[in-house]
Amino acid sequence: GFKSGLPEAKSMPPIDRVTADPNACLFALCGRLAHRLGELYDEALSATGLQTRDFLLLNTISDLAPCRIEQVARATNLDPDAASEALDELVEANLIAFERRAFGYGGREITLTSAGRLALYEAYPRWTRAQADVVGALGDGAERLADIEALVQEHTAR
């Protein structure tokens, strides 16, 4: 008969082990943490009409503009297709604009619109308060998270 290669059910760990034991799957733990942090930041930004992803994209574009989709994707750690889709939503909301370059290599450059600058201006104090709350709750754990990210990045770069 067919053998799936999976262990028999009696040797399988309990289904809830991943949630009961954070060390059972650090990937799942980080995913839950990212989801909960996203909810916290989304709640802080809700009065502005922006979500955390929108804020991060607008902030990145503000720093890099004029810039290209690939630059925004790299800076925000998004897949270029996902970044393009998210940026299209910001264009529809009139928060950013794509402009054709007049000279040199063709392609579209991204800039903030005046509405985008205003949205970022209104959102920044709310994001700052949420950031301060999270950093305060984490204490020196925030620095450890950055260290862990650097170690993982170093390991995956090999």
Side-chain angles (χ1 to χ4, degrees):
F2 174 75
K3 282 202 142 209
S4 69
L6 295 175
E8 292 183 35
K10 65 182 179 199
S11 66
M12 296 284 287
I15 299 293
D16 64 349
R17 181 167 177 238
V18 170
T19 53
D21 178 7
N23 294 324
C25 182
L26 291 176
F27 179 79
L29 173 65
C30 290
R32 288 191 308 273
L33 176 61
H35 180 76
R36 289 188 180 125
L37 285 173
E39 289 176 335
L40 185 145
Y41 284 100
D42 282 345
E43 183 179 321
L45 295 171
S46 65
T48 67
L50 296 177
Q51 292 186 315
T52 304
R53 180 192 68 176
D54 303 330
F55 174 81
L56 294 174
L57 288 166
L58 291 174
N59 198 48
T60 299
I61 293 165
S62 176
D63 289 344
L64 299 176
C67 55
R68 299 179 52 90
I69 291 173
E70 297 81 15
Q71 292 172 289
V72 175
R74 194 171 29 257
T76 57
N77 210 22
L78 286 174
D79 171 89
D81 291 333
S84 181
E85 187 175 312
L87 293 172
D88 285 343
E89 292 173 17
L90 294 178
V91 168
E92 288 178 28
N94 194 35
L95 299 175
I96 65 169
F98 287 119
E99 298 176 359
R100 292 261 175 226
R101 292 184 62 175
F103 301 101
Y105 176 74
R108 303 180 305 169
E109 289 188 331
I110 306 164
T111 58
L112 290 177
T113 62
S114 56
R117 284 190 294 278
L118 180 60
L120 192 55
Y121 177 79
E122 291 174 348
Y124 196 77
R126 294 171 181 278
W127 178 88
T128 300
R129 282 192 296 277
Q131 178 78 356
D133 289 347
V134 170
V135 170
L138 289 174
D140 65 353
E143 288 181 26
R144 288 192 304 236
L145 284 174
D147 292 343
I148 291 167
E149 180 189 26
L151 286 171
V152 170
Q153 189 170 6
E154 178 183 314
H155 178 75
T156 57
R158 292 183 205 168

